[in-house]
Amino acid sequence: MRTKNIKRKGHSEDFFGEYRDFWWNEGFLKLLAKRLQLHNHFNLLDVGCGQCHWSRILVDYLGAPAKVSGVDNDRKWSKGEDELNQYFKSKGVDFELKKGDAHELPYEDETFDIVTCQTLLIHVQDPKTVIDEMKRVLKPGGTILCVEPNNLVQSLTQSSVSMNDPIDEVLDHVKYALLFEKGKKKLGLGDNSLGDLVPGFLVQAGFNQVEVRLSDKAIAMYPPYTTDEQIATMRQWQNGNTWSNEEFSDYDYFRAMGQENLDFFEQYRRKYAHLGERMLRNIDANKYHSAGGAMMYVISANKPL
């Protein structure tokens, strides 16, 4: 069963909210656009577009006249179509939104100058098939641009609260994150740290001129937590686990990994139930701080002529 048949909430809308508006530094985007010569690209496809957060950012760097197409497998995204049409119209850009599966894109061969996705491949059952489809609809000489993370590294991110935690507790957090990701993958719901593998997948798919960059964005948390980015980040934290959905939860991911790991899950939740409260106490006391870095790969390649 492909993930397209699983009814889920729209991931970015429901879990990230306005926090998603702070994922990029403008200086990095300008440099990326210059290096990829996005001004020579006119026809863009945003795969797994959601509310087109990513293509809204990129559209200002495309050549004119530009056209943006978005495709997503969740019908609920069509509710925002009028607003999206107005947004792109205000930019003088033609826009089209379709419902479709990333494994079987509803477009003709060699249609687009650039095909892109942001945090899509980590959620699909067969990322290689999706990449093959992105290549199929891309014109020869066109650019593929994939933005995918390694989320596992966050289990080792230090804060003023956790910096003196015992090694065995840190290892518990890493083990929890590993089992969570492997259970999600076992259920056919994707690999949260797939970004590490995407460059190799592009080579295997026959792309050339593969280039790998890291986004320079970090959202540092420090007192008095009053910047717009920090406020949005704290609101996102209040939403809890950003990788669960209506159909599946952490419990299901650990259960998929066997009884021994399900036992670890239950013990972990009891043992570390206090961590959220500990962090909130430190925030209230203006004592919590962390650099807030992440590992977000920005991977580009060209389809051979």
Side-chain angles (χ1 to χ4, degrees), residues 250-268:
D250 298 34
Y251 178 88
D252 297 301
Y253 303 148
F254 281 84
R255 183 173 60 180
M257 296 301 292
Q259 186 61 50
E260 179 182 351
N261 293 312
L262 185 58
D263 291 342
F264 169 78
F265 164 78
E266 293 172 342
Q267 294 165 8
Y268 179 94

Side-chain angles (χ1 to χ4, degrees), residues 98 158 226 290 298:
K98 287 187 178 182
Q158 291 190 101
T226 53
S290 179
V298 183

Side-chain angles (χ1 to χ4, degrees), residues 48 70 75 110-111 113 125 127 134 168 178 184 219 281 305:
R75 289 187 183 277
E110 301 180 1
T111 300
D113 301 320
Q125 185 175 13
M134 293 172 76
D168 60 339
L178 275 169
K184 179 175 179 280
I219 300 179
R281 285 200 309 270
L305 293 170

Side-chain angles (χ1 to χ4, degrees), residues 78-120:
S78 64
K79 295 179 180 179
E81 187 170 5
D82 289 342
E83 191 273 334
L84 287 171
N85 280 321
Q86 288 299 317
Y87 177 84
F88 286 109
K89 184 178 180 180
S90 71
K91 297 280 185 178
V93 173
D94 189 16
F95 174 71
E96 178 186 51
L97 179 66
K98 287 187 178 182
K99 182 181 185 298
D101 178 17
H103 298 85
E104 300 174 11
L105 291 172
Y107 302 98
E108 298 295 326
D109 295 356
E110 301 180 1
T111 300
F112 301 96
D113 301 320
I114 178 170
V115 180
T116 188
C117 63
Q118 178 177 255
T119 60
L120 165 74

